[in-house]
Amino acid sequence: MDTRVDEIADRIFRLSTFVPDIGPTGFTFNQFLVDADEPLLFHTGPRQMFPTVSAAIATVMPLERLRWITFGHLEADECGSMNRFLAASPDAQVAHSAMGCMVSINDLAERPPEPMGPDQVYDLGGKRIRNIDTPHVPHGWDAHVLYEETTGTLLCGDLFSQVGDGPALSTGDVLDAAAQAEDIFGATCLTPNTAPTIRGLAELEPRGLAIMHGSSYEGDCAKALMALADDYDRRLDAAR
């Protein structure tokens, strides 16, 4: 496996590993490095990907500079390498939703994690990260996303997941590809709160979407989020 590095916004780097034997056309596993005075990693990748992901980070900055290790929810591809990064980065601390810390990460992390409060903002020095709790969106009681305020980048995790190995950053329509992946995997929790939560994210009017599986997106992100919410409303209605 090879992890590619692309700067998708100012000092926000996408670390992407393509696995060809997942789904009909392969699947990317993406992490995002926010390079600031206190660097932050969003998603760690699974344990088996630690060597290639950590090597990719080292092309941007020394691994031991890492200060924050974060992820969207408890899942192997989100946080499987958490403790390996803690071992490699002596000043790093895991930061996760307060709910996630309480139910899982307090026990799983080798060092005590930082519980992130709703709408809590972290000044990383040159970058500002806001925590937004999104329980069960796209899945997981502990789910949350991060919004980087200086670039308007929404680190949106599994939302807009796509199969295949597209470009690092797309300006085309991402909804059709996301709908196709949802048809294949059925990964999203369909609840009455799913679409309203996504519409709440649209109100941020982000300028970019950092997507965990597939191409990241630059364009009318609010419109894309509203369309995604409408798609989940249709799916929920069909399931009733």
Side-chain angles (χ1 to χ4, degrees):
M1 290 184 292
D2 179 51
T3 299
R4 296 166 297 181
V5 180
D6 292 277
E7 189 173 9
I8 62 165
D10 180 44
R11 294 170 64 199
I12 298 180
F13 296 88
R14 174 186 184 259
L15 318 170
S16 183
T17 308
F18 179 62
V19 180
D21 57 353
I22 296 178
T25 55
F27 207 48
T28 56
F29 291 82
N30 305 323
Q31 300 79 44
F32 296 92
L33 176 67
V34 180
D35 184 20
D37 292 344
E38 296 186 4
L40 177 146
L41 181 67
F42 191 57
H43 318 312
T44 71
R47 286 185 303 121
Q48 293 89 341
M49 286 186 185
F50 175 78
T52 183
V53 173
S54 59
I57 292 173
T59 68
V60 178
M61 64 171 215
L63 190 59
E64 57 267 23
R65 278 193 60 223
L66 195 61
R67 175 64 182 89
W68 297 105
I69 299 167
T70 62
F71 40 90
H73 52 268
L74 179 67
E75 196 172 349
D77 62 346
E78 298 261 358
C79 60
S81 290
M82 170 180 66
N83 287 322
R84 298 190 73 175
F85 275 107
L86 285 174
S89 309
D91 294 327
Q93 185 176 15
V94 173
H96 190 43
S97 67
M99 178 64 71
C101 288
M102 181 181 71
V103 301
S104 297
I105 305 304
N106 287 340
D107 181 67
L108 295 176
E110 292 294 338
R111 292 199 289 272
E114 165 91 355
M116 305 176 85
D119 294 314
Q120 184 172 354
V121 175
Y122 288 74
D123 188 342
L124 305 181
K127 293 286 182 280
R128 286 171 56 87
I129 288 286
R130 188 194 316 177
N131 173 60
I132 303 170
D133 287 347
T134 60
H136 302 293
V137 178
H139 44 251
W141 188 18
D142 58 328
H144 68 136
V145 299
L146 301 181
Y147 181 58
E148 203 294 295
E149 296 181 338
T150 69
T151 60
T153 301
L154 183 65
L155 299 141
C156 60
D158 284 327
L159 293 174
F160 292 103
S161 288
Q162 309 142 43
V163 297
D165 189 19
L169 187 62
S170 173
T171 57
D173 178 25
V174 291
L175 182 63
D176 285 347
Q180 178 192 24
E182 186 64 32
D183 289 341
I184 294 169
F185 299 118
T188 303
C189 290
L190 298 178
T191 79
N193 291 326
T194 302
T197 298
I198 296 172
R199 292 190 180 102
L201 298 177
E203 293 176 3
L204 295 168
E205 298 186 348
R207 297 191 292 277
L209 301 173
I211 297 169
M212 185 176 179
H213 302 291
S215 300
S216 292
Y217 176 71
E218 183 179 60
D220 191 338
C221 299
K223 181 179 178 181
L225 285 160
M226 293 295 286
L228 183 68
D230 290 345
D231 184 61
Y232 286 130
D233 261 346
R234 286 191 292 270
R235 292 174 186 272
L236 181 61
D237 288 342
R240 286 174 171 153

